[in-house]
Structures are given as C-alpha cells and as structure tokens.
Amino acid sequence: MKKPNLKLIIGIAVIVIALGYLVISSTLSGSQYFMTVEELQAQKAELVGKNVRMSGAVLGETIQYDPQTLQLSFQVAQIPGDHREIEAMGGMQKVLADAVANPNAAKMTIYYKGARPDLLKDEAQAIITGSLDANGDFQATELLLKCPSKYEAALPKQ
Amino acid sequence: MYYLGLISFALAFVTALAGLVVAALSLARREKQLPGLAVRLTQVSFGLHTLSIVAMLILQALEDFTVSYVNSVINPAMSPILRITALWGGQAGSLFFWSWIIALCFFLAVSGRRGLMDAWAYVVAAVNLLFFIGLPLFLENPFARVWELVDGTLAEGVFAPAVGAVIYRGLTGVGLNPLLRHPGMIIHPPILYMGFGLFLIPFAVGVSQLIRRQNDDDLLDKTHAWLIAAWVLLSAGIVLGSWWSYDVLGWGGYWAWDPVETASLLPWLTSTGLLHSLLLQRKRGIFRRFNLVLVLASYLLVIFSIFITRAGVLSSVHAFSESLISRPLIVFTILMVVFSIALLVRSWKSLGSGWELNSLISREALFLYTNVLLLGLTVVCLWGLVYPLTSGTLGGQQITLDRGFYDRSTLPLFILLVVLMGICPLIGWSTASLKRLKKTWWIPVAIALAGVGAFYLAGIRAWSALVMFFIVFLGLAVQLFLTARDANAVGPAKFFKFWWKQRGRYGAFLVHAGILLIALGIAGTEVMGSAIEGTLIPGDRMPLGRYEIELNAASANYDNPEYMNVVIETTLYRDGEKIADLKPGQHIYMDRNQSITIPAVHSTLRGDVYALVLGFNMDMPYATIKLIDNPLVNWMWIGGFCLVLGGILAGTARRPDRETDEDETAADSKVISYAQATGRRENGD
C-alpha cells in the first residue's frame, strides 16, 4: 500500500464538510412539510410562520376574488395526504366530491395575492404552499390546482 | 395492421430473450467469442420492434380509435406531424418508444465494430432491453383495445377481458395534450431518450470488464464515441426541454428544479465529469477506477431518472400518475445499483489507479476540482430527489424540498465551476505554459473589465451580477485570446485548416463558451429580472422598469374548432416610445377543462419582455396581465446551441491518445513549430 497522501485527505475532508454544510443548511431552510387540513389544525401552535405545503378540496362557493387588487380567498376541505388511502376510498375524484359534500369535514381558509388560476373551481384539488398566520388562516405563496378529470384515462365513462 | 403491430412487438421480446439465452449458454460453455447467432437474433428483434413502431404510427395515422392509446392521443383535427409525435405523448406510447430506443442502441452496438460487445456485455444489455420491452408489453401495452362488456361498461385490454366482450367502436379520439403540441416537444423526447439510451452500451461494456476483472484502456477506446454522442444528445435534450418550458408552460421561466428536470440533469453531471477525467486517463493513465465508477453511475442515474419520471412518486409537470409500472421500475433500479456496487467492491483493489498530481494548479488538478464540483452537484441533486421520498416512509410526515433548496445549495458550486472554466484554458498541462502567459495575462482581464464597465454604464449596479459578468467575460475573453494567439502564430491563411485539424480543442472551447453564455443568461434573468402583474381595462398602462404595457382590446374567436382563442391586444413601450404590439392570449379547451397560456414575447439579444394573460373577462372587458423582464435570456439558447455544436465538433475529432497527443501542450508546441516553419514567431513567447 502506498502511504496515504496527507494533503489529499485534508482536501477530501474539507470538501466533504463544505458539501455537508451546504446540503444540511439548505435542507433545513428549504424543507416543507406536506400536510393535510386536519394535521395543520392539530399542530397549529408549533406551525405558525413555518413553510408548509398542504392539499385540500376546493369549496367552490367560498371563492372570492377581486381582480382590481388581485386578492383571492377560498376554503379547502380535508382530504387524505396519502395516495394509497385515496385509492382505497375510490380514487381522487370521488374523495374530492365527498370532501366538498361533507359538512363536517375540517376546513381552512386560504388567502392569496395574485391572479385567479383557471382551474380554481369547485371540487378541484388545491396544492398550496405558504404558512399559517396567527388567526389559523393560511397565507399562500403558491397555488397549484389539479382537476382529476384532466389526469384520468381518456375513456368516456358510461 | 393492428395484429401485425402487436404480434411483431411480442416476437421482438421473444427473439431478444432467445438472444439472451444463446449468449448465456455460450458463457456457460466458456466460449471466447460472442456467437453470431446472438447478434443476428438482436438484429431480428430490432427489426420486429421497428415493424411494431411503424404499425403503431399507421394506426395513429388511420385513426383506429378501438386502440385505447390511439384514442387518447389522436383526434381527427391533428396534423400529420403531431400524429407522429403522439407516439411518445402518452404513458404507454412513450414507454414503447423508449424500449425501441434501447433496442436501437443495442442493435447499433452489436452491428457496428466487431468486438465492442463481448458475451457478458451482451447479456447485460439484453437484460436491460428485456426489462424495458417487458414493461410496455405486459403492464402498459400500447396496443390494448377498448372493449364493451356484456353489461355495457368499457374496459381496456389486449385480449377480451371477459366472456362476451366485444371491441368498442364508438370512440372519436381525445387527442394529444395541448401542452405537448409544440416543436420543442416534437424533438425533445426522442433526443433525450437517445442520449439516455446510449449510456447503456458503455455501462454494459464496463460491467463486463468488472466481471472479467479487467480494467484497461480498452473500455475507453471502445466506448468513447458512445459517451460523447450520449453527452451531446443529452445536452441537446435538456436545452430543448427548458426552451419548451419557457415557451409553452407560460410562467416565464426555463428551469424550476422540477424532479424530472433534476433527474435528467444527474447523468449529464456525471458524464460531463467523465469526459474530463477520461482525458486524464488517456494522457496520464490516472483516474481509471474513478472513470469506471462514472460510466456505471451515468447509466444507473438514467434508470433512476426514468423511475422518477414514470413512477409518479414526486409531483411534477411531467410525471405520469402512479401506475402499475412503478413497483417493477423501483425494484429494477435497486437491483441494478446493488449489482453494480457489488461488482465494484469485489474487484476494487484489482482495478488499480495511478494517483499522482504534479502540482495543485496544473491542468490535472483543475480537472480534478471540476469533477469534485460536478460530483458535489450530483450529490446535492440526488439528495433533493431522494430525501422527500425517504422522509415519507421513515418519519411518517412527508417533506418536500422547495426550489430554494436547490438554488441555495447549487449556486456556490455552479459559480466555482464557471470560475474554473474561465481560467482552465490558461493553465496548460505543464507549468511552462503558465510562464509563457506572464506578459499577456492582462489582455483577457482588460477585455473582461471593459465588458463589465459597459454593463455598469448601462445602469446595472447589482454587485453579484457584475461579479458574475466579470467571470463570464473573462472566460470568453481567455478563449478568444488563445484562439487569436493561435491564429497569429499559424497565420490567418492557414488558420482554418489548423482549426479544423484541432477541432477537438476548439470544440471544447465552444462547449465551454456555451456554458459561459448559459451562465450569462441565468445571471441576467435571476439577478436583473423583474415582473409585475395587474388587472387592466382598455386604455390602462402598467409600468415595469423602463417598460410599460398598455391594454388595447380583448377578443375571442373559434378559428380552430378545438379551442376558444382569446387574444388580448397590447402595446409595449420602452422609455415612453412604442416598440412592439404584443398579443398574448389563452387557448381554452372546453371539453378538456384545460386552458393553455400563449405568451407574447418581444425578443432581442438584450433580453425578452414576456407578457402573459393570467385571467380575463370578455364582458367588461378586463384582463390580468403579467409582464416579465428577462434580461439576457436569449444568450442561454445561443449558449445551448454552442454547447451542442461544440460537442459535435469535438466528437468528430480524431480521438487523441497518448502516442499522438493532440491536446493543448501538443497544440501549443505545434503552433510554435508551425510558426517556426512558416517563419513567424509566436506572440508573447
């Protein structure tokens, strides 16, 4: 065996430490918990102000939008976060419809400033990034909307 | 036609399997040569596979809507060219197409130069081919038909799913997702897939060497052309993908660290590192073990990338929904990784690797730093993809990493990389070339400072942008300077001939210039870019920096039967003077419940002013407009073009090896001897 090169070992150590620092610090600041409405409400106290991503079913009647000020607000109802659970409950479309129809589902109000997305409508799935404010409302920085019909197989159901 | 396609597809699998058996038997008998029968079986398999692809294209052209896949991607209004691209526009079709690309690469490898594929390499490639044919054949068959069951419901299947089911003929075609109807999307997937697929062959040859416990320069000589071709196509594929994203997705961005984008970057990073350290192996005989690891890693990351795209485990614009194929894919990916690691561990010691660096600022050392940075980037990106996957299963609470994670962690690494790229050409293989530069080093620096000064005078004060511009200009100036020095030494008349002979070197220059230009575009948009959104009624104006946009009118028409075409007429002003009429809009596909945003762009080398319609009301009328200023963004596409062109140029060059050095030192000395022969003296020497 060749004698290990001290310079090389120091070099590698420096690189590993620098890279490790970069990854860990970025992970800590860039992490987002992916949560459901119920989980958010259960852990309200510790989550205020933290960067969170959540998902819920849009309640069409609650959508309010002022095109002048670009102020948008709406409510979402609880849907499960795990896709296996969703499959077991009969698929995303059914889960969304049930969540909207269920008057006892946990609900949360979302506030957003920006243009109203076209896909924001009743029974759409909203994936929302932002944080909880002190009132327990959700201040969104990013909205992503999915209509289940768009992603389903193109076969017309009879 | 339908049966021709289905049967030839199934037979392609059978013949490929037969080829695997023949090769395995020959290995069991310890024969030295790969049997000719195995080669012929691969060729037949590829022929059958191609036949089934052609059959699918004909089904698409003839609108056979009894085939479920055809129904989902074709409708009667689509043009012939779109009907071809529909082949890779949906899940089943794109898997089918990917299996054909793998078959094509395998076919090229066995049919080309004799001796590239030995029996072990053949077996490895055949196993991969069979897996990727098996996925669409058994789990997502593109030839599956739509059946009507006795109770009137519809079902999909290659064979009748129940007794009494009949083929359903009432479908009229849904058509390709409108987002995919774009020239970038026509060529992006085939080019990217081809780039991906080509990595299989070096992987197979590398694994074969590991199994045979052999590690010599053989691997390099055999697979160098494959690696360069793969790298060029992969680069082109990634650039095209981000152009599509910029032009179609309607958000004014080109790269979002979307899981699929990030995954496709992984093999690019490792193969870029590989191309650098291969040069070192050739010149100095070092980095052998490292190169073998990179060859294996590049293909494994390709499979990982396919897994990320296909399995639908991370949400993404590209991702298909989670399906039957995700489990086999993850199992296969893990098996291949474990297999490769086991092989490496088994013969690690015997692989041998000379490891010596003459100096910490020599060319070798800079290549080493480059590779450390590239691998660092690979690790960061891999972490970004894997961490959210594991956090869900381990900690219970699923965690995702946002864009900020990538921006923060990759930025320092990318900046260092660009710095290295700028100064690297100045430092030759020996310290001698550095000495020769002494008297002239200030020329590129002066050019770079002049460039930055121009930007400063143009009103740019952000110091981070100015530093970045300095680095980019310095790198570009160094390359121009060295090229000019060569030209001066050789003499302008003979320079073109010299340039062509040395195209390996100048191709590499062009690739690096391309990266620097891309960095210029990124720095421009990230640091100097700005955006504003607001709702306007006709006559309103909205300011953005020196620009102003005025809303004139809103209209809608049904010129195309598939969608409602909303057009918002606006005028763009710069410093109060009209510079363009922009007509952003939206295409609203009522039946699909989908709308796509059609951006309008005022595009110059200075940058793009990009207008989007976010919302509108035809009755009022009003429209919500987003105006984005993307300075220097077009340099990114120009850089991408240089990158690909340089790669092609370097790829066609005769491969330099240790005997006939055509590298920088040799080029330098040639320049000198050339100059002496023609009675000129090299400048500054």
Side-chain angles (χ1 to χ4, degrees):
Chain A
M1 273 300 280
K2 229 175 8 179
K3 215 174 74 180
N5 187 336
L6 189 67
K7 262 190 210 161
L8 187 70
I9 291 173
I10 294 175
I12 291 175
V14 168
I15 291 163
V16 169
I17 291 170
L19 202 62
Y21 169 75
L22 209 57
V23 168
I24 292 169
S25 66
S26 310
T27 304
L28 290 179
S29 56
S31 293
Q32 293 169 333
Y33 288 98
F34 196 88
M35 309 191 90
T36 64
V37 174
E38 282 174 2
E39 286 167 345
L40 266 176
Q41 286 173 342
Q43 302 169 44
K44 209 186 266 178
E46 56 278 29
L47 284 174
V48 169
K50 288 231 175 86
N51 194 7
V52 176
R53 185 179 269 208
M54 67 171 300
S55 138
V58 175
L59 298 168
E61 290 162 12
T62 62
I63 300 173
Q64 290 179 350
Y65 179 57
D66 179 356
Q68 280 297 313
T69 59
L70 303 178
Q71 294 288 357
L72 175 68
S73 72
F74 59 95
Q75 284 193 335
V76 294
Q78 158 76 19
I79 57 168
D82 185 59
H83 43 68
R84 270 179 215 101
E85 205 174 319
I86 289 168
E87 286 309 312
M89 289 167 70
M92 184 55 96
Q93 197 152 17
K94 185 166 180 304
V95 167
L96 289 169
D98 291 350
V100 171
N102 175 8
N104 300 323
K107 296 185 178 68
M108 179 162 285
T109 307
I110 314 290
Y111 291 94
Y112 178 71
K113 184 166 163 54
R116 174 183 173 161
D118 298 316
L119 292 173
L120 182 70
K121 59 185 104 185
D122 201 33
E123 293 184 19
Q125 184 200 356
I127 297 173
I128 310 145
T129 308
S131 58
L132 271 181
D133 63 16
N135 304 327
D137 293 331
F138 200 84
Q139 300 292 339
T141 52
E142 193 189 325
L143 298 181
L144 181 70
L145 286 137
K146 286 188 172 183
C147 279
S149 56
K150 188 172 132 191
Y151 293 89
E152 275 196 0
L155 285 180
K157 300 278 182 287
Q158 293 192 324
Chain B
M1 193 48 61
Y2 171 78
Y3 291 104
L4 178 75
L6 179 61
I7 292 170
S8 58
F9 185 36
L11 285 179
F13 182 81
V14 174
T15 43
L17 187 62
L20 174 64
V21 171
V22 169
L25 284 178
S26 109
L27 277 176
R29 285 199 300 267
R30 297 180 188 283
E31 288 174 2
K32 286 232 164 90
Q33 286 251 309
L34 175 66
L37 180 59
V39 172
R40 268 186 296 284
L41 279 168
T42 302
Q43 289 165 337
V44 171
S45 169
F46 174 67
L48 289 165
H49 211 144
T50 308
L51 197 61
S52 66
I53 289 274
V54 171
M56 178 51 92
L57 286 174
I58 293 175
L59 288 175
Q60 287 174 186
L62 297 179
E63 301 173 5
D64 185 344
F65 296 133
T66 64
V67 178
S68 167
Y69 182 71
V70 174
N71 178 61
S72 66
V73 295
I74 297 286
N75 69 28
M78 280 164 59
S79 66
I81 187 98
L82 280 176
R83 285 176 194 224
I84 295 175
T85 71
L87 181 63
W88 48 82
Q91 166 99 306
S94 70
L95 268 177
F96 179 41
F97 182 66
W98 163 245
S99 71
W100 180 78
I101 292 280
I102 288 276
L104 171 65
C105 295
F106 192 20
F107 168 78
L108 291 175
V110 294
S111 309
R113 201 154 52 107
R114 284 270 147 199
L116 171 62
M117 301 289 274
D118 59 85
W120 275 115
Y122 183 96
V123 167
V124 173
V127 166
N128 278 276
L129 174 64
L130 282 169
F131 175 76
F132 284 114
I133 299 186
L135 279 186
L137 184 63
F138 298 116
L139 297 176
E140 289 259 1
N141 200 310
F143 291 99
R145 278 191 142 146
V146 184
W147 300 84
E148 187 172 17
L149 304 182
V150 182
D151 62 1
T153 55
L154 295 182
E156 268 183 55
V158 178
F159 305 106
V163 182
V166 290
I167 294 172
Y168 183 69
R169 299 189 184 276
L171 297 174
T172 52
V174 176
L176 203 59
N177 188 319
L179 286 174
L180 303 181
R181 302 180 189 182
H182 178 266
M185 215 8 87
I186 294 172
I187 46 177
H188 161 68
I191 288 182
L192 194 66
Y193 281 3
M194 196 67 203
F196 275 3
L198 287 172
F199 281 111
L200 170 64
I201 304 306
F203 173 78
V205 175
V207 168
S208 159
Q209 292 213 341
L210 272 177
I211 294 176
R212 291 182 288 116
R213 292 177 190 255
Q214 172 198 0
N215 185 34
D216 48 30
D217 293 340
D218 212 27
L219 173 69
L220 288 185
D221 296 337
K222 283 176 170 175
T223 61
H224 190 256
W226 290 83
L227 290 170
I228 291 207
W231 184 88
V232 167
L233 288 166
L234 190 54
S235 308
I238 293 174
V239 172
L240 281 171
S242 60
W243 174 54
W244 169 75
S245 156
Y246 184 69
D247 213 36
V248 174
L249 289 188
W251 55 288
Y254 44 85
W255 189 266
W257 292 110
D258 172 280
V260 170
E261 289 171 357
T262 311
S264 72
L265 192 64
L266 290 171
W268 188 87
L269 290 169
T270 52
S271 57
T272 305
L274 182 61
L275 291 181
H276 287 97
S277 51
L278 275 180
L279 212 58
L280 288 185
Q281 176 170 352
R282 185 163 288 130
K283 283 186 194 317
R284 298 277 192 266
I286 54 179
F287 284 120
R288 276 201 190 150
R289 194 149 59 180
F290 186 63
N291 285 336
L292 193 58
V293 173
L294 285 181
V295 166
L296 301 190
S298 297
Y299 179 68
L300 293 174
L301 289 171
V302 164
I303 315 183
F304 179 71
S305 176
I306 299 277
F307 162 70
I308 290 286
T309 321
R310 297 293 146 178
V313 285
L314 293 169
S315 63
S316 147
V317 279
H318 309 62
F320 297 89
S321 47
E322 190 168 347
S323 65
L324 284 173
I325 64 165
S326 46
R327 196 150 299 171
L329 254 176
I330 192 162
V331 170
F332 185 73
T333 310
I334 292 173
L335 277 180
M336 291 307 266
V337 171
V338 169
F339 173 66
S340 306
I341 292 176
L343 276 178
L344 280 171
V345 169
R346 191 189 71 143
S347 40
W348 187 247
K349 288 246 171 73
S350 67
L351 293 179
S353 167
W355 180 284
E356 46 187 288
L357 292 176
N358 298 335
S359 126
L360 288 176
I361 50 159
S362 65
R363 180 68 71 84
E364 287 105 310
L366 289 184
F367 271 37
L368 176 67
Y369 306 151
T370 304
N371 278 7
V372 166
L373 288 173
L374 286 168
L375 287 188
L377 283 167
T378 313
V379 169
V380 168
C381 294
L382 202 56
W383 172 256
L385 292 172
V386 172
Y387 178 65
L389 284 181
T390 53
S391 67
T393 41
L394 298 181
Q397 188 62 257
Q398 204 189 336
I399 295 172
T400 57
L401 291 172
D402 64 3
R403 215 194 133 150
F405 162 77
Y406 291 103
D407 285 345
R408 269 188 295 271
S409 55
T410 59
L411 189 65
L413 299 175
F414 274 122
I415 288 178
L416 284 175
L417 207 54
V418 173
V419 172
L420 275 184
M421 216 174 333
I423 57 173
C424 195
L426 283 176
I427 296 172
W429 292 99
S430 57
T431 38
S433 54
L434 199 62
K435 280 189 196 129
R436 258 195 287 132
L437 268 176
K438 256 183 190 155
K439 286 179 211 154
T440 45
W441 64 270
W442 58 271
I443 299 178
V445 174
I447 296 175
L449 280 175
V452 173
F455 271 92
Y456 186 83
L457 291 180
I460 289 147
R461 294 290 185 275
W463 66 269
S464 54
L466 291 174
V467 170
M468 205 58 208
F469 291 148
F470 176 75
I471 296 169
V472 169
F473 288 142
L474 180 65
L476 291 173
V478 162
Q479 296 191 359
L480 284 177
F481 170 70
L482 289 178
T483 309
R485 203 185 61 171
D486 293 354
N488 188 30
V490 175
K494 293 185 178 140
F495 182 65
F496 184 74
K497 216 175 141 198
F498 178 80
W499 183 88
W500 181 248
K501 239 182 120 188
Q502 297 287 327
R503 61 190 180 279
R505 168 186 166 139
Y506 293 110
F509 271 20
L510 200 54
V511 169
H512 291 132
I515 302 263
L516 290 168
L517 290 176
I518 291 175
L520 183 69
I522 294 176
T525 47
E526 295 297 322
V527 182
M528 291 148 54
S530 55
I532 187 171
E533 54 185 68
T535 303
L536 310 176
I537 57 170
D540 273 358
R541 284 192 182 195
M542 179 168 70
L544 174 66
R546 301 169 69 180
Y547 297 99
E548 235 183 340
I549 193 165
E550 180 178 345
L551 186 78
N552 302 327
S555 63
N557 64 59
Y558 283 92
D559 292 346
N560 183 315
E562 276 197 83
Y563 53 81
M564 176 168 92
N565 184 18
V566 175
V567 181
I568 308 294
E569 288 173 34
T570 67
T571 309
L572 184 69
Y573 299 88
R574 188 188 141 109
D575 296 334
E577 274 175 53
K578 177 180 163 177
I579 52 170
D581 285 317
L582 295 180
K583 290 181 182 169
Q586 285 191 356
H587 291 173
I588 316 253
Y589 292 77
M590 298 288 189
D591 327 344
R592 290 173 171 272
N593 217 342
Q594 181 178 0
S595 63
I596 65 171
T597 308
I598 309 296
V601 186
H602 175 65
S603 194
T604 59
L605 286 181
R606 179 198 286 268
D608 281 357
V609 185
Y610 190 106
L612 291 169
V613 176
L614 299 178
F616 60 88
N617 183 324
M618 282 296 161
D619 306 327
M620 290 281 283
Y622 69 76
T624 305
I625 305 265
K626 182 166 187 177
L627 193 64
I628 307 170
D629 182 17
N630 277 336
L632 304 175
V633 68
N634 289 312
W635 292 100
M636 208 153 54
W637 316 129
I638 295 170
F641 184 73
C642 292
L643 181 76
V644 172
L645 198 67
I648 294 172
L649 199 64
T652 61
R654 236 186 72 234
R655 203 157 18 83
D657 47 43
R658 249 170 289 173
E659 278 73 47
T660 60
D661 257 343
E662 283 194 46
D663 55 71
E664 175 113 345
T665 345
D668 279 349
S669 59
K670 265 184 199 161
V671 167
I672 296 164
S673 57
Y674 216 107
Q676 283 164 349
T678 51
R680 285 166 157 272
R681 293 209 54 216
E682 194 189 0
N683 215 17
D685 193 331

